[in-house]
Each structure stands twice: as structure tokens, then as C-alpha cells.
Amino acid sequence: MLNLSFLQTLSISEELRRALNANTGISLDTDVILPDLIGTEVTIPDLVGTTEILSEEHREHLCRHLSARTEGYPWTLVFSTSQHGFSLNSMYRKMAKVESPILLVIEDTEGNVFGALTSCSLHVSDYFYGTGESLLFRFTPRFQAFNWTGNNSFFIKGNNESLAIGAGDGKFGLWLDGDLYQGRTQSCSTYGNEPLAPREDFVVKTLECWAFI
């Protein structure tokens, strides 16, 4: 299967990159998007709740890639392992009445920050659910967002024992166990992503879920 991760993580095409470099001498990193070049400012929303993970720089990067449905809303903390414990079932309960996309952010025990934007709140389901508004992202070694490739619709699937976001060929873009303690990240065809952390298997230090309400 064609690996689309390269195409997914670039905000502008390689042809445009070469043209800009040739004409202006500007060197562009892959996490720079076109609006940055024309001076478009990003308004960073207020946080309702306290984060132990997200810096202002993290939030600025994410704001440039979140779906239109999230714009204009503060980011409201609906679940945190620090406040509510390491339990997937607790996370589901906290989202039971939430009707909003969810920004799930993880910091692992090695200091890597990564996560997912889901198109709706997370719940137990026998089937995959969600829409192509969702994405995966990572901040190490640089910020990259991995959008839906269109190859499948394996966006979200969760039960009491685990949660998976993105899948294909027996691999998961982001997988968490029922204790929200151990996780795995692999390349998957839903997002054409690279693994979100340097190690495929990781241990969660802190996990936060933010709704746009």
C-alpha cells in the first residue's frame, strides 16, 4: 500500500517548497504552513481547566490544524489522569454528556507529547465510529499533523479494556489499555502516519482530554 505519511505531514507541496526556496531563499520546515508566510496570526483559545502538558507553543501549532467545528470555543478540560485517575472507564463517564470533538493529549514517561483530535466524544462501541475530521499529531522531533487518508474509516473504537484511534493491517495509530497506562503507536492506513512517539510501546505519564465547549 502506498505510504502517504510524507504527503500527509507536509502542509505545502514539495513543488511549492522548491519554488519558494528558489525565489526567496527562505528555508521552510515541514511544520510551517502557508498562512505563516503571509503573516496570518493565530488566536490561541482560553483554557477552562489546568493543563500539565500543553504549552502555548503546543496550542498554537494545534490551532492551525483543528477542524472548523472547534473554532471560537475555549478548550475545556473534561478528563485528566492527574485529577480523575488512570481509568479508561472513568474517561468514558466524564464524556457521557459531551457533544464536541475531543483533543486527547498524552505526555509519556520520556517527555514526548502527542495525541489525537477525534470528531466526537469517546465511548464504548462494537464498531469503529467518527469522521474524517479526526487526525493524529506529534511534537517530537517536530510538530506534525496526520490527517485522514481516505483509505479506510477506522477512526475510533473502544471498549472497557482498550481504546484505538486509527487502524489497518492489524496496526493502530494510537492504542491505550484500560488503565490508560500502557500504550502503543504504529503507522496505520487511516492516517498514513509515522509512529507518534520514538518508541512504539510507551508508558503514559499524563493524559488530558479537552472539549470545545
Side-chain angles (χ1 to χ4, degrees):
M1 183 177 295
L2 177 62
N3 186 343
L4 298 181
S5 61
F6 181 73
L7 299 178
Q8 292 296 320
T9 55
L10 287 182
S11 301
I12 57 177
S13 71
E14 192 61 31
E15 290 77 10
L16 180 55
R17 172 191 300 279
R18 287 195 292 264
L20 287 169
N21 285 345
N23 293 335
T24 67
I26 298 174
S27 177
L28 302 178
D29 293 329
T30 56
D31 61 349
V32 176
I33 62 174
L34 193 55
D36 292 328
L37 301 179
I38 60 177
T40 300
E41 295 183 359
V42 173
T43 300
I44 301 176
D46 294 331
L47 296 182
V48 180
T50 301
T51 181
E52 297 181 15
I53 303 176
L54 292 170
S55 67
E56 186 170 309
E57 182 180 358
H58 288 150
R59 291 157 57 203
E60 182 177 351
H61 279 300
L62 288 168
C63 281
R64 299 182 186 277
H65 292 270
L66 300 184
S67 65
R69 280 205 299 147
T70 68
E71 294 178 0
Y73 292 95
W75 297 9
T76 301
L77 186 67
V78 294
F79 177 82
S80 163
T81 51
S82 297
Q83 296 182 28
H84 306 114
F86 283 79
S87 168
L88 183 58
N89 288 327
S90 294
M91 186 173 76
Y92 290 145
R93 287 195 294 270
K94 288 295 182 180
M95 294 189 196
K97 297 181 179 179
V98 174
E99 296 182 3
S100 162
I102 296 294
L103 182 67
L104 185 155
V105 187
I106 296 168
E107 182 178 359
D108 69 13
T109 52
E110 296 184 0
N112 303 297
V113 177
F114 51 92
L117 173 74
T118 63
S119 57
C120 57
S121 61
L122 304 172
H123 56 269
V124 174
S125 174
D126 292 331
Y127 307 98
F128 280 94
Y129 62 94
T131 73
E133 289 180 286
S134 57
L135 57 84
L136 298 176
F137 63 85
R138 68 180 184 181
F139 287 96
T140 305
R142 61 187 182 280
F143 178 76
Q144 292 175 288
F146 303 94
N147 296 304
W148 180 38
T149 62
N151 287 340
N152 63 41
S153 298
F154 300 153
F155 300 113
I156 315 161
K157 187 176 185 296
N159 55 32
N160 294 325
E161 286 76 41
S162 64
L163 172 69
I165 301 176
D169 300 322
K171 298 181 178 181
F172 299 105
L174 180 60
W175 179 92
L176 295 165
D177 71 0
D179 295 323
L180 298 180
Y181 177 70
Q182 293 183 328
R184 173 168 290 184
T185 175
Q186 301 166 300
S187 298
C188 74
S189 54
T190 309
Y191 300 103
N193 60 289
E194 299 173 19
L196 305 181
R199 298 181 187 273
E200 182 176 288
D201 294 308
F202 62 87
V203 176
V204 176
K205 176 184 177 184
T206 307
L207 182 150
E208 297 174 353
C209 292
W210 298 84
F212 304 88
I213 51 180

mmCIF file of all heavy atoms in Angstrom, residues 115-146:
data_model
loop_
_atom_site.group_PDB
_atom_site.id
_atom_site.type_symbol
_atom_site.label_atom_id
_atom_site.label_comp_id
_atom_site.label_asym_id
_atom_site.label_seq_id
_atom_site.Cartn_x
_atom_site.Cartn_y
_atom_site.Cartn_z
ATOM 1 N N GLY A 115 -0.817 12.920 20.360
ATOM 2 C CA GLY A 115 -2.213 12.619 20.638
ATOM 3 C C GLY A 115 -3.081 12.603 19.404
ATOM 4 O O GLY A 115 -2.611 12.345 18.287
ATOM 5 N N ALA A 116 -4.358 12.910 19.619
ATOM 6 C CA ALA A 116 -5.341 12.816 18.545
ATOM 7 C C ALA A 116 -6.425 13.854 18.729
ATOM 8 O O ALA A 116 -6.740 14.255 19.864
ATOM 9 C CB ALA A 116 -5.965 11.423 18.521
ATOM 10 N N LEU A 117 -7.002 14.272 17.619
ATOM 11 C CA LEU A 117 -8.256 15.016 17.623
ATOM 12 C C LEU A 117 -9.309 14.053 17.103
ATOM 13 O O LEU A 117 -9.173 13.504 16.005
ATOM 14 C CB LEU A 117 -8.190 16.245 16.719
ATOM 15 C CG LEU A 117 -9.540 16.973 16.557
ATOM 16 C CD1 LEU A 117 -9.889 17.739 17.822
ATOM 17 C CD2 LEU A 117 -9.515 17.908 15.351
ATOM 18 N N THR A 118 -10.349 13.814 17.891
ATOM 19 C CA THR A 118 -11.445 12.966 17.445
ATOM 20 C C THR A 118 -12.646 13.836 17.114
ATOM 21 O O THR A 118 -12.825 14.906 17.688
ATOM 22 C CB THR A 118 -11.824 11.929 18.515
ATOM 23 O OG1 THR A 118 -12.307 12.595 19.684
ATOM 24 C CG2 THR A 118 -10.620 11.077 18.876
ATOM 25 N N SER A 119 -13.461 13.379 16.196
ATOM 26 C CA SER A 119 -14.585 14.184 15.728
ATOM 27 C C SER A 119 -15.753 14.203 16.703
ATOM 28 O O SER A 119 -16.705 14.958 16.520
ATOM 29 C CB SER A 119 -15.064 13.672 14.368
ATOM 30 O OG SER A 119 -15.416 12.300 14.453
ATOM 31 N N CYS A 120 -15.691 13.374 17.745
ATOM 32 C CA CYS A 120 -16.777 13.306 18.730
ATOM 33 C C CYS A 120 -16.208 12.782 20.044
ATOM 34 O O CYS A 120 -15.041 12.389 20.114
ATOM 35 C CB CYS A 120 -17.908 12.402 18.230
ATOM 36 S SG CYS A 120 -17.364 10.716 17.832
ATOM 37 N N SER A 121 -17.035 12.790 21.073
ATOM 38 C CA SER A 121 -16.577 12.266 22.357
ATOM 39 C C SER A 121 -16.356 10.760 22.270
ATOM 40 O O SER A 121 -16.871 10.083 21.382
ATOM 41 C CB SER A 121 -17.594 12.599 23.452
ATOM 42 O OG SER A 121 -18.844 12.016 23.162
ATOM 43 N N LEU A 122 -15.602 10.239 23.208
ATOM 44 C CA LEU A 122 -15.188 8.840 23.187
ATOM 45 C C LEU A 122 -16.154 7.991 24.012
ATOM 46 O O LEU A 122 -16.565 8.383 25.107
ATOM 47 C CB LEU A 122 -13.772 8.715 23.734
ATOM 48 C CG LEU A 122 -12.734 9.585 23.008
ATOM 49 C CD1 LEU A 122 -11.404 9.556 23.747
ATOM 50 C CD2 LEU A 122 -12.551 9.129 21.570
ATOM 51 N N HIS A 123 -16.508 6.824 23.496
ATOM 52 C CA HIS A 123 -17.449 5.945 24.181
ATOM 53 C C HIS A 123 -17.223 4.504 23.743
ATOM 54 O O HIS A 123 -16.509 4.234 22.777
ATOM 55 C CB HIS A 123 -18.891 6.365 23.888
ATOM 56 C CG HIS A 123 -19.218 6.403 22.425
ATOM 57 N ND1 HIS A 123 -19.073 7.546 21.662
ATOM 58 C CD2 HIS A 123 -19.675 5.448 21.565
ATOM 59 C CE1 HIS A 123 -19.435 7.294 20.413
ATOM 60 N NE2 HIS A 123 -19.797 6.028 20.335
ATOM 61 N N VAL A 124 -17.833 3.596 24.465
ATOM 62 C CA VAL A 124 -17.743 2.178 24.128
ATOM 63 C C VAL A 124 -18.562 1.901 22.873
ATOM 64 O O VAL A 124 -19.678 2.396 22.719
ATOM 65 C CB VAL A 124 -18.264 1.312 25.293
ATOM 66 C CG1 VAL A 124 -18.315 -0.161 24.899
ATOM 67 C CG2 VAL A 124 -17.382 1.500 26.528
ATOM 68 N N SER A 125 -17.985 1.141 21.966
ATOM 69 C CA SER A 125 -18.687 0.806 20.731
ATOM 70 C C SER A 125 -18.176 -0.520 20.193
ATOM 71 O O SER A 125 -16.982 -0.820 20.290
ATOM 72 C CB SER A 125 -18.485 1.896 19.682
ATOM 73 O OG SER A 125 -19.044 1.517 18.439
ATOM 74 N N ASP A 126 -19.084 -1.297 19.615
ATOM 75 C CA ASP A 126 -18.684 -2.545 18.973
ATOM 76 C C ASP A 126 -18.103 -2.304 17.588
ATOM 77 O O ASP A 126 -17.529 -3.223 16.985
ATOM 78 C CB ASP A 126 -19.890 -3.487 18.839
ATOM 79 C CG ASP A 126 -20.379 -3.992 20.183
ATOM 80 O OD1 ASP A 126 -19.550 -4.097 21.106
ATOM 81 O OD2 ASP A 126 -21.589 -4.264 20.305
ATOM 82 N N TYR A 127 -18.268 -1.095 17.090
ATOM 83 C CA TYR A 127 -17.841 -0.780 15.732
ATOM 84 C C TYR A 127 -16.986 0.487 15.745
ATOM 85 O O TYR A 127 -17.037 1.286 16.676
ATOM 86 C CB TYR A 127 -19.051 -0.567 14.819
ATOM 87 C CG TYR A 127 -20.035 -1.710 14.843
ATOM 88 C CD1 TYR A 127 -21.173 -1.654 15.634
ATOM 89 C CD2 TYR A 127 -19.806 -2.856 14.092
ATOM 90 C CE1 TYR A 127 -22.069 -2.714 15.676
ATOM 91 C CE2 TYR A 127 -20.696 -3.920 14.115
ATOM 92 C CZ TYR A 127 -21.828 -3.838 14.915
ATOM 93 O OH TYR A 127 -22.703 -4.888 14.946
ATOM 94 N N PHE A 128 -16.217 0.691 14.694
ATOM 95 C CA PHE A 128 -15.500 1.942 14.530
ATOM 96 C C PHE A 128 -16.490 3.070 14.275
ATOM 97 O O PHE A 128 -17.506 2.879 13.601
ATOM 98 C CB PHE A 128 -14.516 1.843 13.358
ATOM 99 C CG PHE A 128 -13.236 1.134 13.700
ATOM 100 C CD1 PHE A 128 -13.087 -0.230 13.465
ATOM 101 C CD2 PHE A 128 -12.169 1.830 14.263
ATOM 102 C CE1 PHE A 128 -11.915 -0.886 13.774
ATOM 103 C CE2 PHE A 128 -10.991 1.190 14.576
ATOM 104 C CZ PHE A 128 -10.855 -0.177 14.333
ATOM 105 N N TYR A 129 -16.192 4.226 14.823
ATOM 106 C CA TYR A 129 -17.043 5.394 14.641
ATOM 107 C C TYR A 129 -16.173 6.631 14.456
ATOM 108 O O TYR A 129 -14.949 6.573 14.583
ATOM 109 C CB TYR A 129 -18.006 5.567 15.815
ATOM 110 C CG TYR A 129 -17.338 5.793 17.165
ATOM 111 C CD1 TYR A 129 -17.106 7.076 17.648
ATOM 112 C CD2 TYR A 129 -16.933 4.710 17.959
ATOM 113 C CE1 TYR A 129 -16.504 7.274 18.883
ATOM 114 C CE2 TYR A 129 -16.327 4.904 19.179
ATOM 115 C CZ TYR A 129 -16.109 6.201 19.643
ATOM 116 O OH TYR A 129 -15.507 6.399 20.855
ATOM 117 N N GLY A 130 -16.821 7.767 14.152
ATOM 118 C CA GLY A 130 -16.083 9.007 13.923
ATOM 119 C C GLY A 130 -16.105 9.400 12.457
ATOM 120 O O GLY A 130 -16.699 8.718 11.616
ATOM 121 N N THR A 131 -15.462 10.522 12.147
ATOM 122 C CA THR A 131 -15.428 11.040 10.776
ATOM 123 C C THR A 131 -14.015 11.475 10.411
ATOM 124 O O THR A 131 -13.107 11.485 11.241
ATOM 125 C CB THR A 131 -16.364 12.254 10.619
ATOM 126 O OG1 THR A 131 -15.774 13.398 11.284
ATOM 127 C CG2 THR A 131 -17.746 11.991 11.202
ATOM 128 N N GLY A 132 -13.871 11.881 9.160
ATOM 129 C CA GLY A 132 -12.577 12.323 8.646
ATOM 130 C C GLY A 132 -12.096 13.651 9.183
ATOM 131 O O GLY A 132 -11.014 14.112 8.804
ATOM 132 N N GLU A 133 -12.854 14.273 10.087
ATOM 133 C CA GLU A 133 -12.357 15.471 10.770
ATOM 134 C C GLU A 133 -11.213 15.141 11.718
ATOM 135 O O GLU A 133 -10.480 16.027 12.142
ATOM 136 C CB GLU A 133 -13.471 16.112 11.601
ATOM 137 C CG GLU A 133 -14.570 16.790 10.844
ATOM 138 C CD GLU A 133 -15.592 17.369 11.795
ATOM 139 O OE1 GLU A 133 -16.376 16.596 12.377
ATOM 140 O OE2 GLU A 133 -15.598 18.599 11.974
ATOM 141 N N SER A 134 -11.094 13.884 12.077
ATOM 142 C CA SER A 134 -10.117 13.491 13.083
ATOM 143 C C SER A 134 -8.701 13.474 12.509
ATOM 144 O O SER A 134 -8.501 13.420 11.299
ATOM 145 C CB SER A 134 -10.475 12.114 13.649
ATOM 146 O OG SER A 134 -10.549 11.167 12.595
ATOM 147 N N LEU A 135 -7.726 13.493 13.396
ATOM 148 C CA LEU A 135 -6.314 13.466 12.998
ATOM 149 C C LEU A 135 -5.460 12.986 14.154
ATOM 150 O O LEU A 135 -5.898 12.949 15.302
ATOM 151 C CB LEU A 135 -5.848 14.840 12.509
ATOM 152 C CG LEU A 135 -5.983 16.052 13.439
ATOM 153 C CD1 LEU A 135 -4.801 16.160 14.421
ATOM 154 C CD2 LEU A 135 -6.065 17.340 12.631
ATOM 155 N N LEU A 136 -4.236 12.616 13.834
ATOM 156 C CA LEU A 136 -3.213 12.317 14.824
ATOM 157 C C LEU A 136 -2.140 13.397 14.753
ATOM 158 O O LEU A 136 -1.946 14.020 13.714
ATOM 159 C CB LEU A 136 -2.585 10.949 14.570
ATOM 160 C CG LEU A 136 -3.503 9.722 14.649
ATOM 161 C CD1 LEU A 136 -2.730 8.469 14.267
ATOM 162 C CD2 LEU A 136 -4.125 9.579 16.022
ATOM 163 N N PHE A 137 -1.410 13.582 15.844
ATOM 164 C CA PHE A 137 -0.338 14.587 15.837
ATOM 165 C C PHE A 137 0.770 14.184 16.799
ATOM 166 O O PHE A 137 0.580 13.366 17.704
ATOM 167 C CB PHE A 137 -0.879 15.972 16.208
ATOM 168 C CG PHE A 137 -1.450 16.069 17.604
ATOM 169 C CD1 PHE A 137 -0.644 16.326 18.699
ATOM 170 C CD2 PHE A 137 -2.812 15.881 17.819
ATOM 171 C CE1 PHE A 137 -1.170 16.416 19.987
ATOM 172 C CE2 PHE A 137 -3.358 15.955 19.089
ATOM 173 C CZ PHE A 137 -2.532 16.225 20.173
ATOM 174 N N ARG A 138 1.933 14.778 16.576
ATOM 175 C CA ARG A 138 3.059 14.595 17.483
ATOM 176 C C ARG A 138 3.890 15.863 17.487
ATOM 177 O O ARG A 138 3.864 16.664 16.540
ATOM 178 C CB ARG A 138 3.915 13.403 17.066
ATOM 179 C CG ARG A 138 4.665 13.586 15.751
ATOM 180 C CD ARG A 138 5.495 12.353 15.404
ATOM 181 N NE ARG A 138 6.291 12.574 14.188
ATOM 182 C CZ ARG A 138 7.087 11.657 13.656
ATOM 183 N NH1 ARG A 138 7.188 10.466 14.212
ATOM 184 N NH2 ARG A 138 7.773 11.926 12.562
ATOM 185 N N PHE A 139 4.656 16.052 18.561
ATOM 186 C CA PHE A 139 5.534 17.218 18.681
ATOM 187 C C PHE A 139 7.012 16.837 18.636
ATOM 188 O O PHE A 139 7.864 17.728 18.663
ATOM 189 C CB PHE A 139 5.240 17.969 19.986
ATOM 190 C CG PHE A 139 3.945 18.729 19.949
ATOM 191 C CD1 PHE A 139 2.795 18.178 20.469
ATOM 192 C CD2 PHE A 139 3.876 19.993 19.381
ATOM 193 C CE1 PHE A 139 1.587 18.868 20.435
ATOM 194 C CE2 PHE A 139 2.682 20.689 19.332
ATOM 195 C CZ PHE A 139 1.537 20.128 19.862
ATOM 196 N N THR A 140 7.328 15.557 18.605
ATOM 197 C CA THR A 140 8.716 15.089 18.577
ATOM 198 C C THR A 140 8.952 14.282 17.300
ATOM 199 O O THR A 140 8.170 13.389 16.998
ATOM 200 C CB THR A 140 8.999 14.194 19.795
ATOM 201 O OG1 THR A 140 8.677 14.895 20.999
ATOM 202 C CG2 THR A 140 10.457 13.776 19.845
ATOM 203 N N PRO A 141 9.994 14.587 16.523
ATOM 204 C CA PRO A 141 11.041 15.599 16.736
ATOM 205 C C PRO A 141 10.610 17.013 16.347
ATOM 206 O O PRO A 141 11.290 17.972 16.650
ATOM 207 C CB PRO A 141 12.170 15.114 15.828
ATOM 208 C CG PRO A 141 11.443 14.424 14.700
ATOM 209 C CD PRO A 141 10.254 13.763 15.332
ATOM 210 N N ARG A 142 9.481 17.145 15.650
ATOM 211 C CA ARG A 142 8.906 18.442 15.319
ATOM 212 C C ARG A 142 7.404 18.243 15.220
ATOM 213 O O ARG A 142 6.919 17.121 15.154
ATOM 214 C CB ARG A 142 9.442 18.964 13.970
ATOM 215 C CG ARG A 142 9.100 18.044 12.803
ATOM 216 C CD ARG A 142 9.770 18.474 11.508
ATOM 217 N NE ARG A 142 9.396 17.614 10.389
ATOM 218 C CZ ARG A 142 9.916 16.435 10.131
ATOM 219 N NH1 ARG A 142 10.860 15.968 10.935
ATOM 220 N NH2 ARG A 142 9.510 15.723 9.098
ATOM 221 N N PHE A 143 6.652 19.330 15.196
ATOM 222 C CA PHE A 143 5.214 19.178 15.109
ATOM 223 C C PHE A 143 4.796 18.641 13.740
ATOM 224 O O PHE A 143 5.234 19.127 12.711
ATOM 225 C CB PHE A 143 4.482 20.499 15.348
ATOM 226 C CG PHE A 143 2.996 20.363 15.207
ATOM 227 C CD1 PHE A 143 2.254 19.771 16.218
ATOM 228 C CD2 PHE A 143 2.348 20.753 14.054
ATOM 229 C CE1 PHE A 143 0.892 19.594 16.087
ATOM 230 C CE2 PHE A 143 0.975 20.585 13.909
ATOM 231 C CZ PHE A 143 0.248 20.002 14.933
ATOM 232 N N GLN A 144 3.964 17.608 13.762
ATOM 233 C CA GLN A 144 3.386 17.060 12.551
ATOM 234 C C GLN A 144 1.945 16.647 12.834
ATOM 235 O O GLN A 144 1.665 16.064 13.891
ATOM 236 C CB GLN A 144 4.163 15.839 12.053
ATOM 237 C CG GLN A 144 5.555 16.162 11.543
ATOM 238 C CD GLN A 144 6.316 14.903 11.186
ATOM 239 O OE1 GLN A 144 6.733 14.154 12.064
ATOM 240 N NE2 GLN A 144 6.477 14.651 9.897
ATOM 241 N N ALA A 145 1.051 16.969 11.908
ATOM 242 C CA ALA A 145 -0.338 16.532 11.985
ATOM 243 C C ALA A 145 -0.594 15.563 10.845
ATOM 244 O O ALA A 145 -0.180 15.795 9.708
ATOM 245 C CB ALA A 145 -1.271 17.727 11.901
ATOM 246 N N PHE A 146 -1.267 14.460 11.143
ATOM 247 C CA PHE A 146 -1.542 13.420 10.156
ATOM 248 C C PHE A 146 -3.051 13.348 9.943
ATOM 249 O O PHE A 146 -3.782 12.865 10.810
ATOM 250 C CB PHE A 146 -1.003 12.070 10.630
ATOM 251 C CG PHE A 146 0.476 12.080 10.937
ATOM 252 C CD1 PHE A 146 0.926 12.310 12.231
ATOM 253 C CD2 PHE A 146 1.413 11.873 9.937
ATOM 254 C CE1 PHE A 146 2.281 12.311 12.519
ATOM 255 C CE2 PHE A 146 2.774 11.873 10.216
ATOM 256 C CZ PHE A 146 3.214 12.101 11.507
#
